[in-house]
Amino acid sequence: MNYTIKTETEIKKMRKSGKLAAEVLEMIEKYVQPDVSTEEINNICHDFIKKRNAIPACLGYHGFPKSVCISINDVVCHGIPSKKEILKKGDIVNIDVTVIKDNYFADTSRMFFVGETNQLCKKLCKITQESLYASLNIIKPKIPFYKIGEIIQNYVEKNNFSIVREYCGHGIGSKFHEPPNVLHYKSCNNIFFEKGMIFTIEPMVNAGHSAVECMKDGWTVRTKDRSLSAQYEHTILVTEEGCDVLTWQKNEKIPSKFINR
Ligand code: MF3
Ligand code: CO
Ligand code: CO
């Protein structure tokens, strides 16, 4: 697989696009409330990104009609914002933001609760986020890439949830999706982390069975058994001794730089 190693100049640009993508998620939190439509949330994100001289990468990507993906409850990913879709108390919502700033992409998503939500929702989101965080502890040069999937799958299954197989993380840079594929389950390959690699990790975790299906709109992916699904995503840079979370948000209980000695 011909993945790229980013130059210092590219890394500088990706730090900026990563920061902007994180800021979109920080900014949008207060709008995720009952009675708000997903289209309104989409439009607020769109305007914020444009004001910062950046481009919402999802808009028009393979024909995707909106600027961010918004995926509620049993929607696993690629939910299309709509006037008709109104948030209600208890919903769990993923907002997935990809921006292009100065020709470089950054991609990140997190879960939000609409008002009070139940224990299962809270646990599912917590385990999903922790599975992503756990994988950050092992990233440094010369460690095999497949460790990410091993750690995430083990963590998720130990907690009696299931990991979606159909979608994976990806290299990212001057393109949205670059090699390598970053699998969130056990697999084998002969890639090792190298300083200057940039990729996403974005586990999708289901409360029930791992199977998913795509709806007739060609985008919206739901769990087959209609159980809840959660996802968190970060854009990660491999450094000399660990990794940097380029899309790190102020509210996160992890450092933005991991030293993994
Ligand atoms: N942001 C998604 C990812 O993590 C891709 C969304 S593609 C879109 O890779 F077209 F649905 F926006
Ligand atoms: Co992604
Ligand atoms: Co994404």
Side-chain angles (χ1 to χ4, degrees), residues 103-233:
N103 296 313
Y104 282 83
F105 289 72
D107 190 5
T108 186
S109 84
R110 61 160 280 198
M111 301 301 295
F112 297 90
F113 301 137
V114 184
E116 253 311 295
T117 180
N118 70 34
Q119 287 304 315
L120 175 65
C121 292
K122 284 183 194 155
K123 182 167 181 217
L124 177 66
C125 294
K126 179 169 182 278
I127 297 301
T128 307
Q129 187 179 43
E130 287 174 354
S131 75
L132 166 57
Y133 287 173
S135 71
L136 302 178
N137 287 316
I138 57 96
I139 298 174
K140 65 175 173 185
K142 298 197 174 74
I143 300 289
F145 220 95
Y146 68 76
K147 288 274 176 200
I148 293 176
E150 192 176 289
I151 288 177
I152 290 177
Q153 182 176 10
N154 280 340
Y155 193 81
V156 165
E157 292 181 353
K158 201 175 68 191
N159 286 283
N160 295 316
F161 294 135
S162 67
I163 186 86
V164 172
R165 310 289 201 276
E166 283 81 351
Y167 301 90
C168 54
H170 47 92
I172 182 166
S174 58
K175 296 197 216 72
F176 198 153
H177 296 104
E178 299 180 355
N181 285 336
V182 181
L183 274 50
H184 306 115
Y185 56 92
K186 283 171 206 140
S187 69
C188 231
N189 62 33
N190 45 18
I191 307 174
F192 294 80
F193 299 123
E194 276 176 60
K195 183 183 166 196
M197 285 175 114
I198 302 185
F199 51 84
T200 73
I201 307 176
E202 46 182 300
M204 284 156 241
V205 175
N206 297 348
H209 195 269
S210 64
V212 301
E213 62 184 339
C214 190
M215 300 295 102
K216 285 207 197 80
D217 63 20
W219 285 105
T220 312
V221 176
R222 285 197 146 79
T223 55
K224 213 163 208 161
D225 62 8
R226 300 297 184 261
S227 66
L228 294 167
S229 188
Q231 180 179 27
Y232 285 80
E233 174 174 26

Side-chain angles (χ1 to χ4, degrees), residues 13-26 48 52 99 101 106 108 245-250:
K13 292 183 181 184
M14 292 205 60
R15 286 189 191 284
K16 287 189 184 159
S17 50
K19 183 159 188 280
L20 174 59
E23 283 167 2
V24 177
L25 292 179
E26 290 166 0
F48 183 90
R52 303 287 295 270
V99 302
K101 186 157 176 66
T108 186
V245 183
L246 299 183
T247 46
W248 183 84
Q249 297 159 57
K250 289 191 202 113

Side-chain angles (χ1 to χ4, degrees), residues 57-64 66-69 78 96-98 107-108 168 170 176-177 200 202 204 219 231 233:
C58 293
L59 186 59
Y61 182 76
H62 292 282
F64 190 79
K66 296 287 172 177
S67 299
V68 296
C69 297
H78 304 163
D96 192 340
V97 176
T98 311
D107 190 5
T108 186
C168 54
H170 47 92
F176 198 153
H177 296 104
T200 73
E202 46 182 300
M204 284 156 241
W219 285 105
Q231 180 179 27
E233 174 174 26

